[in-house]
Amino acid sequence: MKQYLPVLQQCPLFRGISTEDLLRMLVCLGAKTEFFEKKFTVFAEGAPAIYIGIVLSGKVHVEQTDYYGNRSLLSEFGAGQVFAEAFACAGVPALPVSVVAAEDSEILFVECDHIMHTCENNCGFHGQLIFNLMQDLAEKTIQFHRRIDVTSKRTTRDKLMAYLMHCARSAGTDTFEIPFDRQTLADYLEVDRSGLSTEIGKLTKEGVLLADRKKFTLL
């Protein structure tokens, strides 16, 4: 576990917790790690919402598949990021989404109950951990509303431009990189890939943007 300390220290869940306390905390919480090959399922839709996941290496996608097999990409999480905490904290009986390894990934799992209820040792860092969890949930709520703002647009063009403008504002520059390839971006925007590529081509010809794989410039 020590080799992942630099990653864990960047994790919002452990913000403000010393290295010494962090190592003791992982033991206290009963944390465990597991490796997943690319495309393997980390959490399956319908599984009990018990664990909070932290990406130690690699990348995972939170996905939802409708009755006809159409996939929507809800979120992407990389090293040091937390996932599934909202469902675990809410105590939902079954996960409404799936989590899939987008790359070969190693994941740290912690039972939510071990975080929400202090142990018999009454560890001093536990209060900070709960505060961090609540702050992380608040930030995820804001991100969720931003996604709704994007996907609620009527056309592929409007969804794409709303997303790219969010990215530009977050980056603080007109030139930025997005975390998605074309298929993943289409899944995130809930649009057809070919239609998305067509719109990117049109916007490029119109002089609205420049696009080079994951790199975009708003003109």
Side-chain angles (χ1 to χ4, degrees):
M1 188 65 68
K2 287 185 178 181
Q3 69 269 31
Y4 289 115
L5 274 177
V7 175
L8 292 172
Q9 287 171 327
Q10 297 301 314
C11 176
L13 196 60
F14 304 125
R15 190 181 294 126
I17 296 173
S18 69
T19 301
E20 181 181 347
D21 281 343
L22 179 54
L23 289 172
R24 290 195 297 117
M25 176 188 292
L26 295 175
V27 175
C28 181
L29 295 175
K32 59 181 182 180
T33 61
E34 192 170 344
F35 177 80
F36 296 86
E37 293 183 358
K38 183 178 179 180
K39 296 185 178 181
F40 271 60
T41 299
V42 179
F43 291 144
E45 182 175 348
I50 298 173
Y51 292 100
I52 290 174
I54 301 170
V55 182
L56 298 176
S57 65
K59 189 182 297 181
V60 301
H61 285 167
V62 179
E63 304 174 352
Q64 198 163 41
T65 305
D66 66 18
Y67 181 81
Y68 298 101
N70 299 309
R71 185 186 75 144
S72 294
L73 174 62
L74 303 181
S75 305
E76 179 180 84
F77 297 103
Q81 293 185 301
V82 187
F83 62 91
E85 68 274 39
F87 304 116
C89 288
V92 297
L95 288 169
V97 299
S98 295
V99 180
V100 179
E103 303 173 355
D104 289 352
S105 305
E106 190 158 9
I107 310 297
L108 178 75
F109 295 103
V110 179
E111 278 194 48
C112 185
D113 277 352
H114 290 172
I115 295 178
M116 299 303 292
H117 300 95
T118 56
C119 67
E120 59 186 14
N121 297 324
N122 197 25
C123 302
F125 48 69
H126 212 115
Q128 181 66 41
L129 179 64
I130 294 174
F131 174 82
N132 291 344
L133 177 60
M134 296 302 101
Q135 191 171 53
D136 178 70
L137 287 170
E139 291 171 357
K140 294 283 176 62
T141 300
I142 294 172
Q143 293 170 13
F144 176 71
H145 283 290
R146 286 175 180 167
R147 184 174 187 274
I148 290 177
D149 178 57
V150 170
T151 57
S152 64
K153 305 300 182 187
R154 290 176 178 255
T155 67
T156 297
R157 182 189 184 104
D158 289 343
K159 290 181 179 183
L160 173 63
M161 288 304 299
Y163 173 72
L164 294 179
M165 286 187 285
H166 275 305
C167 291
R169 279 195 292 268
S170 296
T173 175
D174 293 335
T175 299
F176 51 88
E177 287 196 9
I178 66 172
F180 306 131
D181 58 25
R182 289 291 185 270
Q183 181 59 62
T184 311
L185 178 59
D187 292 337
Y188 181 81
L189 298 178
E190 299 181 358
V191 299
D192 178 71
R193 177 179 176 175
S194 61
L196 174 64
S197 297
T198 298
E199 287 301 328
I200 291 174
K202 287 181 180 179
L203 290 165
T204 301
K205 289 180 181 179
E206 293 170 15
V208 176
L209 57 80
L210 297 176
D212 181 14
R213 297 186 180 181
K214 295 183 178 182
K215 185 177 180 180
F216 286 83
T217 300
L218 296 181
L219 303 175

